[in-house]
Amino acid sequence: MIKIVTKRFLLRDFVDTDRSPFLEYQADPRNQTFYEPDRSSPDQAARLFEMFQAWAGDRPRLNYQLAIVQRQEPYALVGCCGLRGRLSETGEMEFGLELAPAYWGRYAYAIEVGRALLDFGFTELDLKAISGSTVSANTRIARLAQWIGAEVVATRPGSSWMSDRGWSEVDWRIARAQWEHRTLRHGR
């Protein structure tokens, strides 16, 4: 079982007791804002949870989607984060981080989790780069990507549900050398 420990959080594989809080925060309308309408159903959330649990048993492991829990309360689900390996053959994985709406804007939670996940990817998985994609209107992720030193590598129209709202899809990327330079300058 993967366990990444930060000052306040434990990032670990999902366990059965995470199911109910995961489904609950996935159903929150605030959480569904930046997702395609078809991808924000209770059935889709249940399928995601099952897929995340299945990924933990894959060998070789290509996807790490981890529960974010508070160290003081190891079953208090704060959200989830991951490095997904669809591009892993090239030494690159896709980053994702989602906090439950109750934890939005709380004391740099996303920065602490993001830092730990990037360290894991570059140090433990020996990745060359980590990339991500988000809706242009998702300013929280844009700020996080900027904080970690990622560069925007593409902006494209995205699917119709995005363009209907005047949004586009933004891709960003950070190479290991950029991350190492940033952590040396700013400390871990």
Side-chain angles (χ1 to χ4, degrees), residues 140-151 172 174:
R140 288 179 187 91
I141 292 297
R143 283 192 307 267
L144 178 62
Q146 181 179 16
W147 181 89
I148 65 174
E151 298 175 350
W172 55 267
I174 184 167

Side-chain angles (χ1 to χ4, degrees), residues 158-177:
S159 55
S160 61
W161 73 273
M162 284 186 220
S163 55
D164 289 349
R165 291 169 174 82
W167 300 342
S168 54
E169 192 163 0
V170 178
D171 296 333
W172 55 267
R173 184 175 189 272
I174 184 167
R176 179 179 22 220

Side-chain angles (χ1 to χ4, degrees), residues 3 20 32 53 66 90 131 147 162 170:
K3 290 183 180 178
S20 180
Q32 298 172 8
Q53 283 194 303
L66 307 172
T90 63
S131 60
W147 181 89
M162 284 186 220
V170 178

Side-chain angles (χ1 to χ4, degrees), residues 82-160:
L83 293 171
R84 295 174 292 274
R86 68 183 171 94
L87 304 173
S88 63
E89 290 178 18
T90 63
E92 185 170 336
M93 293 180 93
E94 181 182 33
F95 174 95
L97 192 153
E98 151 182 290
L99 297 177
Y103 298 98
W104 290 356
R106 301 274 292 272
Y107 314 108
Y109 282 14
I111 289 172
E112 184 175 334
V113 169
R115 177 186 294 145
L117 195 57
L118 288 165
D119 280 341
F120 173 74
F122 289 126
T123 305
E124 300 298 319
L125 301 179
D126 197 30
L127 296 175
K128 294 177 179 81
I130 295 174
S131 60
S133 180
T134 191
V135 173
S136 60
N138 192 339
T139 57
R140 288 179 187 91
I141 292 297
R143 283 192 307 267
L144 178 62
Q146 181 179 16
W147 181 89
I148 65 174
E151 298 175 350
V152 172
V153 294
T155 301
R156 57 183 184 284
S159 55
S160 61

Side-chain angles (χ1 to χ4, degrees), residues 24-131:
E24 185 179 309
Y25 91 71
Q26 288 288 311
D28 187 313
R30 296 172 295 170
N31 191 66
Q32 298 172 8
T33 303
F34 300 120
Y35 289 105
E36 187 171 359
D38 296 355
R39 297 191 59 211
S40 58
S41 71
D43 288 343
Q44 175 65 14
R47 283 192 295 277
L48 283 174
F49 185 84
E50 290 163 14
M51 182 172 59
F52 298 161
Q53 283 194 303
W55 284 349
D58 287 349
R59 299 295 179 263
R61 187 154 181 188
L62 300 177
N63 299 291
Y64 298 83
Q65 192 69 28
L66 307 172
I68 304 167
V69 296
Q70 296 180 27
R71 287 180 60 193
Q72 307 298 344
E73 301 176 61
Y75 295 101
L77 188 67
V78 172
C80 67
C81 62
L83 293 171
R84 295 174 292 274
R86 68 183 171 94
L87 304 173
S88 63
E89 290 178 18
T90 63
E92 185 170 336
M93 293 180 93
E94 181 182 33
F95 174 95
L97 192 153
E98 151 182 290
L99 297 177
Y103 298 98
W104 290 356
R106 301 274 292 272
Y107 314 108
Y109 282 14
I111 289 172
E112 184 175 334
V113 169
R115 177 186 294 145
L117 195 57
L118 288 165
D119 280 341
F120 173 74
F122 289 126
T123 305
E124 300 298 319
L125 301 179
D126 197 30
L127 296 175
K128 294 177 179 81
I130 295 174
S131 60

Side-chain angles (χ1 to χ4, degrees), residues 168-188:
S168 54
E169 192 163 0
V170 178
D171 296 333
W172 55 267
R173 184 175 189 272
I174 184 167
R176 179 179 22 220
Q178 291 169 292
W179 177 248
E180 289 170 348
H181 177 73
R182 183 178 189 343
T183 56
L184 285 174
R185 260 191 18 231
H186 298 288
R188 293 199 182 255

